[in-house]
mmCIF file of all heavy atoms in Angstrom:
data_model
loop_
_atom_site.group_PDB
_atom_site.id
_atom_site.type_symbol
_atom_site.label_atom_id
_atom_site.label_comp_id
_atom_site.label_asym_id
_atom_site.label_seq_id
_atom_site.Cartn_x
_atom_site.Cartn_y
_atom_site.Cartn_z
ATOM 1 N N LEU A 37 -20.138 9.658 29.050
ATOM 2 C CA LEU A 37 -19.144 8.586 28.956
ATOM 3 C C LEU A 37 -18.599 8.589 27.531
ATOM 4 O O LEU A 37 -19.241 8.067 26.627
ATOM 5 C CB LEU A 37 -19.799 7.241 29.263
ATOM 6 C CG LEU A 37 -19.748 6.759 30.709
ATOM 7 C CD1 LEU A 37 -20.613 5.518 30.866
ATOM 8 C CD2 LEU A 37 -18.330 6.474 31.154
ATOM 9 N N PRO A 57 -18.829 5.911 14.211
ATOM 10 C CA PRO A 57 -19.387 7.177 13.742
ATOM 11 C C PRO A 57 -18.863 8.359 14.567
ATOM 12 O O PRO A 57 -18.207 8.158 15.579
ATOM 13 C CB PRO A 57 -20.894 7.000 13.916
ATOM 14 C CG PRO A 57 -21.060 5.930 14.925
ATOM 15 C CD PRO A 57 -19.843 5.050 14.834
ATOM 16 N N GLY A 71 -1.136 9.277 25.923
ATOM 17 C CA GLY A 71 -0.784 9.978 27.154
ATOM 18 C C GLY A 71 -1.168 11.448 27.156
ATOM 19 O O GLY A 71 -0.632 12.225 27.943
ATOM 20 N N ASP A 187 -8.723 14.317 -0.974
ATOM 21 C CA ASP A 187 -9.530 13.987 -2.145
ATOM 22 C C ASP A 187 -9.366 12.489 -2.449
ATOM 23 O O ASP A 187 -8.505 11.836 -1.865
ATOM 24 C CB ASP A 187 -9.110 14.862 -3.334
ATOM 25 C CG ASP A 187 -7.612 14.811 -3.590
ATOM 26 O OD1 ASP A 187 -7.030 13.705 -3.473
ATOM 27 O OD2 ASP A 187 -7.012 15.850 -3.881
ATOM 28 N N SER A 212 -11.242 5.662 11.656
ATOM 29 C CA SER A 212 -11.976 6.098 10.478
ATOM 30 C C SER A 212 -13.462 5.965 10.746
ATOM 31 O O SER A 212 -13.884 5.160 11.566
ATOM 32 C CB SER A 212 -11.600 5.228 9.273
ATOM 33 O OG SER A 212 -12.342 5.606 8.137
ATOM 34 N N ALA A 226 -11.934 -2.816 14.926
ATOM 35 C CA ALA A 226 -12.826 -2.759 16.078
ATOM 36 C C ALA A 226 -13.918 -1.763 15.730
ATOM 37 O O ALA A 226 -13.655 -0.749 15.080
ATOM 38 C CB ALA A 226 -12.075 -2.300 17.320
ATOM 39 N N ALA A 261 -39.571 -19.239 -5.315
ATOM 40 C CA ALA A 261 -39.687 -19.069 -3.864
ATOM 41 C C ALA A 261 -40.124 -20.379 -3.221
ATOM 42 O O ALA A 261 -39.627 -20.770 -2.158
ATOM 43 C CB ALA A 261 -40.685 -17.957 -3.550
#
Side-chain angles (χ1 to χ4, degrees):
L37 267 172
D187 52 40
S212 178

